[in-house]
Amino acid sequence: MYEQLNPPETGERIVFQDGEPIVPDNPIIPFIRGDGTGIDIWPAAQKVFDAAIQQAYGGKRQISWFKIYAGDEACEKYGTYQYLPADTLSAIKEYGVAIKGPLTTPIGGGIRSLNVALRQIHDLYACVRPCQYYAGTPSPHKYPEKLDVIIYRENTEDIYLGIEWRQGSEIGDRLIKILNEDLIPATPEHKNKQIPLDSGIGIKPISKKGSQRLVRRAIQHALRLPKAKQMVTLVHKGNIMKYTEGAFRDWGYEIATTEFREVCVTERESWILGNKEKNPALSTADNARLIEPGYDSLPPEKQGAINGEVEQVLANIWETHGQGQWQDKVMVNDRIADSIFQQIQTRPDEYSILATMNLNGDYLSDAAAAIVGGLGMGPGANIGDTCAIFEATHGTAPKYAGLDRVNPGSVILSGVMMLEFMGWQEAADLIKTGIGKAIAERQVTYDLARMMNPPVEPALKCSEFADAIIARMS
Ligand SMILES: NC(=O)C1=CN([C@@H]2O[C@H](COP(=O)(O)OP(=O)(O)OC[C@H]3O[C@@H](n4cnc5c(N)ncnc54)[C@H](OP(=O)(O)O)[C@@H]3O)[C@@H](O)[C@H]2O)C=CC1
Ligand SMILES: O=C(O)CCC(=O)C(=O)O
Ligand SMILES: [Mg+2]
């Protein structure tokens, strides 16, 4: 059934039931080595996974690794331009859980991102990127340990759908003409805006289904966290892009207050309930005044809408959420995207799960990784209902390729996420112990070594860091 692949002779498939993986003791797991530094990182990471599994289960459980191809390696095996062979896509679909190294995307032309294509083709709609601090990791921040967030990034739409036209292309010019002459003038709120004729043009679709399935997963994850971390923040730029980013926020709140009504409270609801708890005699208008700055200068119809919101909340959820009960619910709030970039630096401990659209999540996950030690420490997972691919936040870092130099930590931590997803917590914990101890003992690669005080000289190689982790797993 495969053109050029030979699955391992021993091992079984992981299958999904109701979105959850059913994992045999000897699963077959496809892996893509990756381009650039993938050549260094993958062997180091695989060695750590196998050692941890052996130590945790003494041979009762093991992974049968199945090498599949994408990027440069795929072209070598399958021929020119065969960056993402059908074999690779079929293997991921068949075996359900896969792990990959980074893949190159040329800028400004040629192939579109293979990484994005893998997510879209397999409908891996939730990109999950935890940013958690390991004691002793050098950081540009004073209190990096205060940051403990998980980014839930929508993974299939937004501008990453890649629907765009080059400046001067026939279709691009036609589209601009239709917009300028027909659609924009027919939309009163656009007044007499016009798109400059020499523009490249891109489309940013944000769907209700795509937004809500992402927020659903984020809330389900929040429910599994300790009480103090049960919070989902909807990140958006809805003040500017009302019908895409603003809609993401609104659809997020909608699902929180319908499907998850019993277990969620929104921030505004918590204010209304809290105000009433502090002062049971508080009038509707006074409560509205407390939740809406500038209430008194609003026109009567806007004041009426806020009064209505207060009345609705008290009528609908006072019994289930009032008298402090809301404090035991998952808190759902929202923050404007630019503000959250500064908030994770100035008030990191106020956040837990950050639910984002695709582009915002891409930016935010690199920024948050920087606080806890850099891209060498940024793991990730792309999760759908029938399939999951685990991969680091970083790219191929081509200048380091083949030097055995970069930090394999992010792919190793992506493997930790994979083991946790499979329910192999004991093996995952051993690796986390190994990483924690190696960092605490200053046994680190160049990226962490150069930030340590005093700097570590010489830094460990990529392969040596893997050995240092294995030596410290118990
Ligand atoms: N999921 C994926 O496969 C992704 C692929 N890419 C692709 O990767 C290619 C290169 O992208 P680029 O913008 O350079 O971003 P990269 O993430 O590859 O590298 C940027 C910088 O991050 C640091 N870094 C990256 N990986 C590590 C690591 N393992 N250990 C320590 N430090 C690390 C290095 O910093 P320093 O120089 O300071 O040492 C590096 O120069 C592009 O083609 C891009 O499209 C990008 C992101 C994700
Ligand atoms: O695929 C790429 O080139 C970039 C993807 C990326 O930056 C990411 O997923 O974080
Ligand atoms: Mg990125």
Side-chain angles (χ1 to χ4, degrees), residues 34-35 37 41 100-107 113-116 119 129 153 362 366 373-378 382 391-400 405-411 445-448 450 462:
D35 296 330
T37 49
I41 294 174
K100 67 176 275 293
L103 294 168
T104 304
T105 306
I107 295 174
S113 165
L114 303 175
N115 309 298
V116 173
R119 300 166 195 164
R129 291 181 167 174
R153 163 189 176 195
D362 195 357
D366 270 39
L375 284 177
M377 298 297 288
N382 305 290
E391 68 173 330
T393 294
H394 64 66
T396 55
K399 67 184 175 188
Y400 296 117
R405 187 149 180 236
V406 289
N407 188 348
S410 37
V411 172
T445 44
Y446 85 93
D447 52 324
L448 303 184
R450 70 186 170 188
C462 175

Side-chain angles (χ1 to χ4, degrees), residues 152-172:
Y152 259 79
R153 163 189 176 195
E154 200 293 320
N155 220 10
T156 60
E157 46 186 44
D158 199 344
I159 57 166
Y160 289 68
L161 213 50
I163 301 179
E164 56 176 3
W165 290 273
R166 197 186 293 278
Q167 178 270 325
S169 63
E170 193 216 324
I171 297 181

Side-chain angles (χ1 to χ4, degrees), residues 212 215 219 250-267 269 313 316-317 321 332:
Q212 291 198 327
V215 175
I219 294 175
D250 295 344
W251 291 326
Y253 277 132
E254 183 184 287
I255 204 157
T257 55
T258 52
E259 212 172 299
F260 293 96
R261 179 64 285 180
E262 281 172 25
V263 291
C264 281
V265 66
T266 70
E267 190 170 47
E269 287 170 350
V313 168
N316 293 341
I317 61 168
H321 292 58
V332 180

